[in-house]
Amino acid sequence: MVDVLRRRFGLLGRNISYSFSKGYFTEKFNNEVFLGNTYENFDIAEISHFEGLLKNNPDLTGLNVTIPYKEQIIPFLDKLSKKAALIGAVNTIKFTKKGKLKGYNTDYYGFKKSLKPLLEPHHKKALILGTGGASKGVAFALDELGILYTFVSREAKENIIDYDLINATTFDNFQIIINCTPVGTSPNIEACPNIPYEFFTDKHIAYDLIYNPEETQFLKNAKANGATIKNGYDMLIFQAEKAWKIWNK
């Protein structure tokens, strides 16, 4: 049965011309089964412009949310799913039949599903590089997987260490290193988080949420020392399909 309803979806973010989501959903909607669905980028300079966006686009059905608005969007929503509320970050918005906005987090689902096949019994603890909205979904997934974690930031705070504290002992204790920062994203492909890569081994997993380039400098450095590496592409596909199910349920 062909869907002939006109439904508009999109991505909310800043500087998102590179977006995975627009390309992914546009290609998906090229299939005649999804006739009438469109997907576009909504690039706004600051979150306060969101209300104007809603006013000018009253026919929206659903949105994805990306950097830097996964946390900032929450006050503009009418309701959160239980998991989005626990995580404290939203990357999917559903426009309900009553015109309400409900926030969900599908990042944690995408990350969990893409990491799980790599896990072995010795992978017990993870370092999360970065403390933004994406890192919150990652932490929630690790909780569900029973993996302990510590956040790393440029400044040490309660329950957060700084990069200067990472050494050989850290790598002995943490077998999964996850880059949740934008460092290394195209076009700045030679950049990478400031950690001692020489301590990676074949017992480690290096996971980068970045998918462009396919193999970041972070992943190259880890791979050179024997680590299993994974980029964020599969995570994006899994979270996008989960968002699609939410919009259609």
Side-chain angles (χ1 to χ4, degrees), residues 198-218:
E198 64 269 24
F199 299 128
F200 272 105
T201 70
D202 60 3
K203 299 293 186 186
H204 288 89
I205 295 171
Y207 191 117
D208 202 329
L209 267 60
I210 295 168
Y211 60 94
N212 182 18
E214 185 176 330
E215 198 169 291
T216 59
Q217 194 62 49
F218 168 79

Side-chain angles (χ1 to χ4, degrees), residues 175-246:
Q175 305 82 26
I176 309 169
I177 317 292
I178 305 152
N179 180 32
C180 297
T181 78
V183 177
T185 307
S186 182
N188 302 312
I189 60 172
E190 292 179 2
C192 59
N194 184 24
I195 61 173
Y197 292 91
E198 64 269 24
F199 299 128
F200 272 105
T201 70
D202 60 3
K203 299 293 186 186
H204 288 89
I205 295 171
Y207 191 117
D208 202 329
L209 267 60
I210 295 168
Y211 60 94
N212 182 18
E214 185 176 330
E215 198 169 291
T216 59
Q217 194 62 49
F218 168 79
L219 293 180
K220 285 178 181 176
N221 293 346
K223 183 181 178 182
N225 288 285
T228 298
I229 64 170
K230 180 78 174 173
N231 68 22
Y233 187 75
D234 286 346
M235 171 183 170
L236 281 168
I237 291 175
F238 292 140
Q239 67 82 20
E241 286 303 317
K242 186 74 168 177
W244 179 245
K245 286 181 180 177
I246 288 168

Side-chain angles (χ1 to χ4, degrees), residues 119-138:
L119 295 176
E120 295 183 29
H122 68 272
H123 293 129
K124 296 185 183 301
K125 294 176 76 176
L127 274 187
I128 302 174
L129 311 183
T131 56
S135 71
K136 291 186 171 184
V138 165

Side-chain angles (χ1 to χ4, degrees), residues 64-167:
N64 293 124
V65 184
T66 190
I67 294 171
Y69 301 131
K70 293 184 182 188
E71 296 163 293
Q72 295 179 37
I73 192 65
I74 291 176
F76 293 87
L77 305 178
D78 299 298
K79 193 176 181 182
L80 296 180
S81 71
K82 287 180 182 178
K83 289 190 175 179
L86 288 169
I87 293 166
V90 163
N91 74 312
T92 299
I93 301 171
K94 180 175 181 175
F95 291 64
T96 71
K97 290 177 181 176
K98 294 181 179 178
K100 301 293 185 183
L101 304 186
K102 185 172 181 180
Y104 296 81
N105 189 300
T106 66
D107 277 340
Y108 90 89
Y109 169 83
F111 174 75
K112 180 181 176 182
K113 190 165 182 179
S114 62
L115 177 68
K116 208 170 179 180
L118 305 180
L119 295 176
E120 295 183 29
H122 68 272
H123 293 129
K124 296 185 183 301
K125 294 176 76 176
L127 274 187
I128 302 174
L129 311 183
T131 56
S135 71
K136 291 186 171 184
V138 165
F140 190 84
L142 293 173
D143 274 331
E144 290 198 337
L145 290 166
I147 295 170
L148 300 173
Y149 56 85
T150 295
F151 287 104
V152 183
S153 186
R154 283 171 291 189
E155 291 182 21
K157 297 176 186 173
E158 189 177 357
N159 301 320
I160 300 172
I161 65 170
D162 66 41
Y163 285 90
D164 292 337
L165 287 177
I166 300 176
N167 55 28

